[in-house]
Amino acid sequence: MPRLIRAIYRVAPDAQALARCAAQHFVEHAERAVAARGRARIAISGGSTPKAAFALLADPAESWRARMPWSKLDLWWVDERCVPPDHSDSNYRMTRETLLDHVPLAPGQIHRIEGELEPEAAAARYESAMRNHFRLEGAELPRFDVVALGMGPDGHTASLFPHTQALHELGRIAVANYVAAKSSWRITLTWPAINSADAVFFLIAGADKAQTVHEVWMGPKDAERLPSQLIRPVGGILTLLLDRAAAALLPAPEAEGCGTLERKE
Ligand code: 6PG
């Protein structure tokens, strides 16, 4: 029985408008989670695209900083490079510089991946922290309220890179993944852990990703080559926040820059 994978996409005219759309998305999901469950458990990505959105969330001149329920937030990462937290490649360092140093989050609300450890130890400790925090038993998976993902031009998301071992890790929550293309180790949530979230959104900008966006969400299933195709939240809400350049090969969005993509698999 083919499954219908549906993604809602929203197209912003440029990168700055996309960042504003992302800031709005973060706050709306956090407010909704706090209203429903009293807490907002968010997992974020690193890389460069989220930087502008984090800066807007931290900016006291913007409305989002005041709206965000910071005291009820728990911040997790979808992945980390295997480097110390002050390394220039560290996703934690990028987030600290653009967001954490400027907002009222207590240390206990920030659950970083210890990239400075030996990879498997880092993955095991991170998985254990999630099991404790979410009070998981057996094969249960964490239920993040929202997961924010990026995507590389190669179709990777989190640190789920094409043709890597992590794509086949189904029983774990977080794993160490050797990425030969980068000659480096990463720690990443597994795709089943990401998919157990209530909502997942991709934040994608740039013309260099337009072809991949089209292949991932309009092309045939080929998740070994395009790991972003593995992302389909069981909560059912998959949203793509794109700038016009990244959305160039998608059907023109209907009203208010929104559209829906459906793929049978
Ligand atoms: C990382 C991210 C990764 C990122 C994509 C897109 O550790 O780099 O988690 O999955 O989201 O590589 O990165 P850009 O936003 O820099 O294009």
Side-chain angles (χ1 to χ4, degrees):
M1 177 73 175
R3 283 190 60 181
L4 191 62
I5 308 302
R6 178 175 293 126
I8 295 166
Y9 63 102
R10 183 183 299 275
V11 182
D14 54 36
Q16 188 54 22
L18 179 64
R20 300 185 72 81
C21 186
Q24 179 70 13
H25 215 71
F26 272 117
V27 170
E28 283 177 355
H29 275 288
E31 287 174 332
R32 198 173 302 145
V34 169
R37 285 174 289 279
R39 297 294 294 177
R41 285 89 51 102
I42 294 179
I44 58 175
S45 286
S48 58
T49 308
K51 287 181 179 176
F54 292 167
L56 287 172
L57 289 173
D59 186 347
E62 295 286 351
S63 64
W64 296 295
R65 191 183 192 287
R67 274 183 61 189
M68 182 65 95
W70 298 107
S71 66
K72 302 218 180 341
L73 208 63
D74 282 297
L75 196 63
W76 302 80
W77 277 260
V78 301
D79 69 338
E80 184 58 275
R81 292 80 180 278
C82 288
V83 295
D86 58 354
H87 191 283
S88 58
D89 287 348
S90 166
N91 286 337
Y92 169 78
R93 174 176 163 179
M94 180 277 283
T95 313
R96 181 179 55 73
E97 290 173 343
T98 55
L99 182 65
L100 304 182
D101 284 351
H102 313 285
V103 296
L105 282 176
Q109 294 176 264
I110 299 168
H111 309 273
R112 78 174 180 89
I113 303 171
E114 296 164 291
E116 67 275 25
L117 300 180
E118 182 275 328
E120 190 44 55
R125 281 173 58 88
Y126 194 52
E127 179 161 317
S128 174
M130 281 182 277
R131 286 192 175 287
N132 292 335
H133 179 86
F134 286 92
R135 296 191 175 85
L136 303 178
E137 293 182 5
E140 286 181 325
L141 294 170
R143 186 163 179 178
F144 290 103
D145 294 297
V146 62
V147 174
L149 296 174
M151 188 187 77
D154 63 354
H156 85 265
T157 188
S159 283
L160 301 167
F161 283 81
H163 311 296
T164 58
Q165 178 55 33
L167 304 189
H168 308 288
E169 292 280 3
L170 307 185
R172 298 278 301 275
I173 296 173
V175 294
N177 192 31
Y178 183 71
V179 184
K182 293 187 177 283
S183 305
S184 64
W185 282 91
R186 298 279 190 97
I187 309 301
T188 185
L189 291 183
T190 60
W191 59 267
I194 293 170
N195 286 340
S196 74
D198 261 356
V200 177
F201 72 91
F202 279 85
L203 183 58
I204 305 173
D208 64 328
K209 299 182 182 178
Q211 177 60 33
T212 310
V213 166
H214 181 270
E215 288 185 53
V216 167
W217 284 288
M218 297 189 73
K221 181 76 181 289
D222 185 4
E224 273 288 324
R225 184 173 68 85
L226 299 166
S228 293
Q229 288 187 333
L230 294 166
I231 305 306
R232 40 186 190 277
V234 294
I237 308 172
L238 175 62
T239 304
L240 313 181
L241 303 182
L242 310 166
D243 71 353
R244 191 169 287 149
L249 300 180
L250 296 183
E254 299 113 31
E256 294 177 358
C258 278
T260 304
L261 295 170
E262 295 183 346
R263 189 187 77 242
K264 286 191 176 58
E265 60 174 46

